[in-house]
Amino acid sequence: MDFLDHAILSVDNALRTLSGQSRGSGRPNPAAEEPDSLLRPWERRRAGRMMRVNHAGEVMAQALYTGQEAGSKDAELRAALRRARSEEEDHLRWCEERLQELHSRPSLLGPFWYATAWGMGFAAARRGRGSNLGLVVAVENLVEEHLKEHLQDLPLEDERSRRILEQMESDEVGHAEKAEELGAEPLPLPLRLAMQGLSKMMTRGALWI
Ligand SMILES: [Fe+2]
Ligand SMILES: [Fe+2]
């Protein structure tokens, strides 16, 4: 029964994530009040490529959190992972909306990003609560660093993308802090290296593919 529950959770999340049917916590898009003042076509294309990377990152966040929940038997931890995942769904939806506004598209490698990140989340969860939470901290710290870079590199006038990334950054910091509070332990080296490798592959690959 457990196995079946986890399989349904994972397949349902994968399908919703990859088909743009995320529900989320219902928070409004933080860019809603911001006029779209990014006018130059080449800058819209550049911002579109950057938002595609951020969108792919959020696809991976869905997969990681789902894999981590599926691989854990700890009810308190699973509830915490679910709460963070619902905020990540907001991020996914906001990135989707911005991609559409910029006439860009999600990465064609979405299923690959999803499958590899799910495997990594599941593997960390099987190592126990400390590693499971350790993965949250390691991933969220990496995402925070990446978002800081994107906030600097975005075209100056792109306030709409900037509002979204700022809210995401603040949420990611909160997710890492919560995981620390709940007892995160440093991630074993092989998992840390795999996570860093996958993140590099994604931030480069999703720019173009
Ligand atoms: Fe996120
Ligand atoms: Fe997060």
Side-chain angles (χ1 to χ4, degrees), residues 65 88 140 172 175:
Y65 276 106
E88 302 288 1
E140 298 289 9
E172 316 303 13
H175 296 157

Side-chain angles (χ1 to χ4, degrees), residues 101-121:
E101 288 168 7
L102 293 167
H103 302 297
S104 187
R105 56 160 177 83
S107 169
L108 299 174
L109 298 176
F112 172 74
W113 308 130
Y114 193 98
T116 42
W118 188 96
M120 200 173 293

Side-chain angles (χ1 to χ4, degrees), residues 37-52 98 102-104 153-158 207-208:
S37 44
L38 186 64
L39 298 176
R40 291 189 270 292
W42 63 91
E43 289 204 327
R44 288 187 81 84
R45 277 198 294 277
R46 187 160 73 87
R49 281 196 298 272
M50 293 173 81
M51 289 311 281
R52 181 156 64 235
R98 189 61 185 142
L102 293 167
H103 302 297
S104 187
D153 294 349
L154 267 177
L156 262 185
E157 295 89 356
D158 193 359
L207 264 182
W208 307 103

